[in-house]
Amino acid sequence: APLRAWIKLAWNAQVFPITKQRGMPTLLEMVHWYAQCDFARQGSWSQSTGPVGRVFLSLERIGWKWLGPFEFEDQCGRTWHLGRFSPTAMDHWLRAAVQQQHECKAAEAYSAPCDRIYTEHLTMFRKATGKRKLSAW
């Protein structure tokens, strides 16, 4: 939720800069918030200092890096600039990153000889073995 909110705020501030709505930050304000955040202190959710820290932790959880206030780098090294992609497009790519994280954790849990176990493979395995539920965690 914090990551989606940041993306939507950045998009709205860039697309509608003249029609500033009450309570909506400007890009400059968001840059200021980013600059004030002490990312070294964002070790856990309970230690995070505000919404910017939680955005950082959200990105870290899915294997992404925060390059700047409006730029992310995904687990494959691709750079995502928030002004180039709508919140809906970013949401699609974030969901894919979360899915990939789950598949990687499943591979670890089942000692798979690969980096990822695709969800379709787990479903086929579950049906073949008759197990109703598989737990990787």
Side-chain angles (χ1 to χ4, degrees), residues 1-16 24-25 27 30 72 82 85-88 90 94:
L3 181 53
R4 286 183 177 146
W6 182 267
I7 291 168
K8 192 171 183 177
L9 285 173
W11 178 262
N12 287 337
Q14 182 169 345
V15 174
F16 309 109
M24 186 168 60
L27 290 174
M30 293 180 76
F72 305 143
L82 299 185
F85 301 97
S86 72
T88 304
M90 288 301 300
L94 291 170

Side-chain angles (χ1 to χ4, degrees), residues 54-94:
R54 290 183 178 94
V55 171
F56 172 77
L57 290 173
S58 297
L59 287 167
E60 192 175 66
R61 175 183 272 175
I62 61 171
W64 286 29
K65 295 176 187 169
W66 207 354
L67 303 178
F70 311 111
E71 277 191 330
F72 305 143
E73 181 181 276
D74 67 13
Q75 68 277 13
C76 299
R78 291 179 295 231
T79 302
W80 298 90
H81 191 280
L82 299 185
R84 293 188 189 138
F85 301 97
S86 72
T88 304
M90 288 301 300
D91 191 53
H92 169 78
W93 291 109
L94 291 170

